[in-house]
Amino acid sequence: MRILSLFLLLLTSFACQPAAYTNLDVDAFEQKAAEPGVVLLDVRRPDEFAVGHLPGAVNLDWLAGGLPEQVRAAYPQDRVLAVYCRSGKRSAAAATALAKAGYTVYNLSGGYLAWSKARSGVSFVRDDAACKVDVCVDGRYFTTLFYPEDETKPILWPIMTASGIDITRGYPRAPRAFESVDHPHHSGLWFNHGDVNGLDFWNNYHAYPAERKPAYGSVRLRSIESAEGDQLVTLSDWVDNDGHVLLTEKTTYVFGGSADERFIIRSAVLTAVDTVRFGEDKEGMLGLRVDRALQQPSDSPVRYLDAQGNPTDRATVNREGVTGCYTNSLGFSGDDAWSKRAEWTKLDGTKDGDDISILIIDAKDNINFPAWSHARGYGLFAVNNLGGKAMDPDSTEPVGFVLNPSESKTFTYKIIIKSGGHLSAADAESRARAFNR
């Protein structure tokens, strides 16, 4: 009787054990996923998957429910599954359920964060007192997320090539000789819009007089949510001049690169607090103000900084060292690229003897894809999904939208900075296809 009771106890104990799967580190997981017939399964939410994922992965959201049934419908039980999520917690639960369903399952320990940290060489240095996060790729400085009180939106500034050349204008934060002094609100890389409930977020500048301020809105960084692997996640508020929050923005930055290339994927999830209307407007949405060397040559006189970095009193023409030229996916170049709806737009130029290309790709899931190109010869390189008639008089479709409280809209873009030689149009097209596949 005692032997029978022990047998039943052991049987019950085994029955209560979770179905087995195998945890693997990054190297072993990559080797397993590369084996013939292995299904690489990303069980994060679709918005997480869109920002970045392991090459070749299939996305099935664990939190949406019904994952074993979806897998069973798509793959026979003899297929091996390699699963991962952001940190390894959701994928562990998914791996248990899939193993219980009869599959052989391998789980990535540490998830996508562990993989991106091991493979990308991206590191972050936070300095909350200075309101900044420095970003390095492969041990070399790349850029800084900068959000001081006197900036009306979070910016990435400066931004460096892999060879260490600054592609962004210094003015107004760190003026350099012979830079133009127009549009002081153009700093680094940013995201906002010129008509949000009638407020102008795009043109706001901290030094404007108080009587002008009620017409403008600001984007205020509330918190750094995480800085792990190759991803920096922040939470910001879009506020009016009285500090009233119209909407929140959860921003995910993904950084990476190679010996001669750097990239940024910027994905913003906008969630309304009040009812929010985004109107059709020329001023938007992803903006980058480039260095003087990357502007397009112009015969128009403008005011410059002198050799000591002080503003001059009169406008002059100065084309020395100015080398930029735009090209877009439609084949338009130079000033003709402005206002065209293009999947990608590229700026080629030369600075300090290095041939540099900057490529901005609009994500296919963005509203009104492809975006209007707001690429101006004086150095503003922007793409605008809400340009419409404000940029193209022949545009007939309405482009604005309304978010009711708790509703969201996502905007995602990829910026590639190539040094050591320009990207060809074919190179740009290939990178856009890979991003938007």
Side-chain angles (χ1 to χ4, degrees), residues 46-246:
D47 61 306
E48 295 175 284
F49 181 83
V51 171
H53 53 267
L54 272 64
V58 175
N59 183 216
L60 292 175
D61 183 4
W62 166 253
L63 295 179
L67 179 66
E69 291 76 18
Q70 294 180 66
V71 172
R72 191 179 296 115
Y75 305 105
Q77 209 170 51
D78 60 352
R79 293 292 292 272
V80 175
L81 307 178
V83 301
Y84 71 95
C85 64
R86 179 178 180 272
S87 64
K89 294 180 180 178
R90 281 173 285 177
S91 59
T96 298
L98 292 169
K100 188 176 180 180
Y103 290 91
T104 300
V105 187
Y106 295 88
N107 179 51
L108 175 58
S109 295
Y112 183 80
L113 292 176
W115 178 84
S116 59
K117 183 176 182 179
R119 293 294 173 258
S120 69
V122 174
S123 59
F124 302 101
V125 179
R126 286 183 61 169
D127 186 343
D128 294 347
C131 299
K132 68 174 188 172
V133 181
D134 291 337
V135 184
C136 295
V137 176
D138 296 332
R140 300 195 65 177
Y141 174 75
F142 177 23
T143 188
T144 294
L145 175 67
F146 198 45
Y147 53 99
E149 189 63 31
D150 66 350
E151 187 59 69
T152 57
K153 68 274 185 183
I155 61 175
L156 290 178
W157 176 86
I159 301 173
M160 316 298 284
T161 65
S163 57
I165 295 173
D166 187 354
I167 66 165
T168 44
R169 181 174 71 161
Y171 178 84
R173 306 208 70 89
R176 297 191 287 263
F178 309 119
E179 288 186 324
S180 58
V181 294
D182 61 273
H183 301 85
H185 51 281
H186 290 175
S187 292
L189 179 78
W190 72 95
F191 175 80
N192 57 18
H193 189 54
D195 181 5
V196 183
N197 281 7
L199 297 175
D200 185 352
F201 283 75
W202 181 270
N203 287 294
N204 195 5
Y205 181 53
H206 74 93
Y208 289 158
E211 60 268 22
R212 292 181 58 183
K213 281 295 190 177
Y216 297 98
S218 301
V219 183
R220 294 297 178 194
L221 189 139
R222 186 197 310 172
S223 61
I224 306 292
E225 297 292 283
S226 62
E228 301 175 285
D230 60 355
Q231 297 188 19
L232 175 62
V233 181
T234 67
L235 190 63
S236 300
D237 296 319
W238 291 47
V239 301
D240 64 16
N241 189 53
D242 295 323
H244 176 74
V245 179
L246 279 66

Side-chain angles (χ1 to χ4, degrees), residues 193-199 201 238 246-247 272 274-281 386 400-404:
H193 189 54
D195 181 5
V196 183
N197 281 7
L199 297 175
F201 283 75
W238 291 47
L246 279 66
L247 57 92
D274 289 339
T275 298
V276 178
R277 180 190 62 82
F278 279 76
E280 180 179 79
D281 198 278
L386 300 178
F401 66 92
V402 174
L403 291 178
N404 294 313

Side-chain angles (χ1 to χ4, degrees), residues 244-262:
H244 176 74
V245 179
L246 279 66
L247 57 92
T248 63
E249 176 183 339
K250 183 177 181 180
T251 312
T252 301
Y253 301 90
V254 180
F255 302 98
S258 60
D260 61 357
E261 205 166 291
R262 294 288 183 263

